[in-house]
Amino acid sequence: TQINFYHPDVPSIIAGKVKTFYQTYGTEYIGIGINDNHSFTQSPESKLPFTTPGGVVVQPDDPAYKSTVFFTFLNKVAAEVKQTYPGVKIVSYAYFFTEVPPKVELEDNIVIVMAPANEDERTPINTENQQNNNYKYKQRLEEWAERTKNIIMYNYYGCCYA
């Protein structure tokens, strides 16, 4: 399961944990991500249209729905952390249901780690071969690059061959 990204109290609770972690360890890059699974449904809101702070309505069957809900939540965390610690970066993976870029702008202290779980490491990620798994990751990376310049690539070397 995941935490409830819809609950209005959760972003402040998580932001508080981030600030305490920073105060304790001084780590400027702090990871907050989804649990390592595709599970999403935690409340009745998970099946309802989601309205972004900017007024965009995203339907549950939209491929960007779950990512939009998650990154709206993460934006709230990042904004609160930035008020106290402007140098702290919130790092989050773009994989599973957050692989699709959200329909919200990202706070400038969010860093995306693109994690192409099914990439073909024998082929460059920027392949033009549409039959190769990496082609979809190339497209996703280009979509992410339209939203932020804070992107890091993560690779599963020796793990998964298509």
Side-chain angles (χ1 to χ4, degrees):
T1 64
Q2 309 291 336
I3 62 172
N4 187 338
F5 305 124
Y6 298 89
H7 195 287
D9 296 340
V10 174
S12 285
I13 293 168
I14 300 298
K17 299 283 186 186
V18 169
K19 290 187 257 186
T20 299
F21 188 87
Y22 177 73
Q23 292 165 353
T24 303
Y25 301 103
T27 304
E28 293 182 347
Y29 288 79
I30 299 175
I32 300 174
I34 62 171
N35 285 329
D36 205 9
N37 61 58
H38 292 277
S39 178
F40 181 78
T41 304
Q42 331 93 352
S43 64
E45 291 93 348
S46 301
K47 298 182 187 311
L48 299 174
F50 180 77
T51 304
T52 70
V56 175
V57 176
V58 185
Q59 298 298 325
D61 62 346
D62 186 316
Y65 178 82
K66 295 174 183 177
S67 184
T68 301
V69 171
F70 173 75
F71 282 104
T72 298
F73 152 80
L74 196 62
N75 274 341
K76 293 174 185 175
V77 173
E80 185 172 327
V81 169
K82 185 170 43 176
Q83 287 177 4
T84 309
Y85 300 110
V88 171
K89 305 291 184 201
I90 305 300
V91 181
S92 193
Y93 284 104
Y95 77 144
F96 291 157
F97 63 77
T98 59
E99 179 182 305
V100 177
K103 294 188 174 183
V104 292
E105 296 296 320
L106 298 179
E107 289 289 331
D108 63 0
N109 61 330
I110 293 178
V111 176
I112 299 300
V113 179
M114 181 85 179
N118 294 315
E119 80 173 307
D120 180 350
E121 64 190 43
R122 301 165 294 180
T123 304
I125 199 78
N126 64 346
T127 184
E128 293 297 329
N129 178 358
Q130 295 182 16
Q131 306 307 309
N132 187 283
N133 274 358
N134 291 359
Y135 186 77
K136 80 170 184 171
Y137 292 120
K138 172 187 170 255
Q139 290 179 307
R140 288 283 187 247
L141 181 57
E142 290 169 351
E143 293 168 5
W144 275 106
E146 291 174 7
R147 288 167 176 74
T148 183
K149 299 302 177 208
N150 298 333
I151 303 173
I152 299 170
M153 288 299 295
Y154 181 90
N155 297 96
Y156 297 91
Y157 293 119
C159 168
C160 312
Y161 286 100

